[in-house]
Amino acid sequence: MDNRTNTIAGWVLGTMGLALALTIGGNMLVKPIASEKEGYPIEAPAEGGEGGAAAAEEPIAALLAKADAAHGAEVFKKCTACHSVAQGGANGIGPNLYGTVGEGIAQGKGGYAFSDALKKAGAGKKWDFEELNKWLTSPRGYAAGTKMTFAGLTAGKDRADVILYLNQQGSNVPLPPPPAGAPTATDAKAPPAAGEADPGGKASPSVEGLGNTTVPAAAGK
């Protein structure tokens, strides 16, 4: 019995020793390949899309030069729950916005109770095109603590259209000159008139001006 047990134990130990020897020998013959980098790197897209950098937004002067007041009026419908824009209209949740462009920020409007946050942010300033553009981008970013709950207009075109529309509602402040080379709403050209050609034999196109239109946006509370 003892000899049999010893024999079995010997076979077990011998098998384990052989397995260990084979493992050590295998590692010596085949060196494991260590990856220099763990996993598979995933490259995130660069900010701003394919260009690799965020595109700079056009200045408000350039956007106003090609703004559409009719579209601005449509965008302004988002504001009518709190604002009116009619001449002599009453204040609501927000102030009446007739004649707002060019006015002092957080002033007038028939005694409307503007927030202290807007009074502080707009102290000594007027609702010119630049300030309106900043305000409409993010009212809370412009004046932290403002009563205005509207999140803002992300698209620069929508802001310009609304500002142009508001400007037509009792303000009519002259628009700022667009940057040199900036396209305007009058850049569209009509087809050449029949029978008219220049000395080189090319028809001379006529230019037809297209008027700017504007759309209102919620102005400060």
Side-chain angles (χ1 to χ4, degrees):
M1 187 69 177
D2 290 339
N3 290 336
R4 185 177 180 182
T5 300
N6 290 337
T7 301
I8 294 173
W11 278 108
V12 171
L13 291 173
T15 302
M16 294 175 64
L18 178 61
L20 179 60
L22 290 173
T23 301
I24 294 173
N27 286 337
M28 294 175 65
L29 293 173
V30 182
K31 185 179 180 180
I33 300 174
S35 174
E36 294 180 359
K37 294 183 180 180
E38 296 183 2
Y40 297 91
I42 299 175
E43 296 183 4
E47 278 187 33
E50 297 180 0
E57 186 174 276
E58 289 185 84
I60 189 61
L63 292 170
L64 285 170
K66 53 186 178 182
D68 179 358
H71 178 251
E74 289 299 314
V75 177
F76 185 75
K77 289 179 180 179
K78 299 178 181 180
C79 311
T80 55
C82 299
H83 299 276
S84 69
V85 75
Q87 183 175 8
N91 293 322
I93 297 174
N96 173 272
L97 299 181
Y98 184 83
T100 292
V101 182
E103 282 192 342
I105 296 177
Q107 298 177 23
K109 298 303 183 188
Y112 178 82
F114 291 97
S115 66
D116 291 338
L118 184 57
K119 290 178 181 178
K120 180 179 179 180
K125 301 178 183 177
K126 292 185 177 181
W127 282 126
D128 59 20
F129 301 112
E130 289 287 351
E131 295 302 313
L132 281 169
N133 185 47
K134 295 175 186 176
W135 168 257
L136 292 174
T137 298
S138 173
R140 292 183 179 181
Y142 185 94
T146 178
K147 294 190 292 184
M148 181 86 148
T149 58
F150 184 61
L153 297 172
T154 303
K157 171 177 168 46
D158 287 349
R159 296 195 299 273
D161 291 351
V162 164
I163 292 170
L164 182 61
Y165 170 80
L166 280 177
N167 191 42
Q168 294 176 352
Q169 313 308 310
S171 296
N172 298 311
V173 175
L175 299 182
T184 68
T186 60
D187 284 342
K189 294 183 179 181
E196 295 183 5
D198 60 18
K202 296 181 180 179
S204 301
S206 60
V207 178
E208 181 180 354
L210 302 176
N212 279 335
T213 43
T214 4
V215 181
K221 294 187 196 175

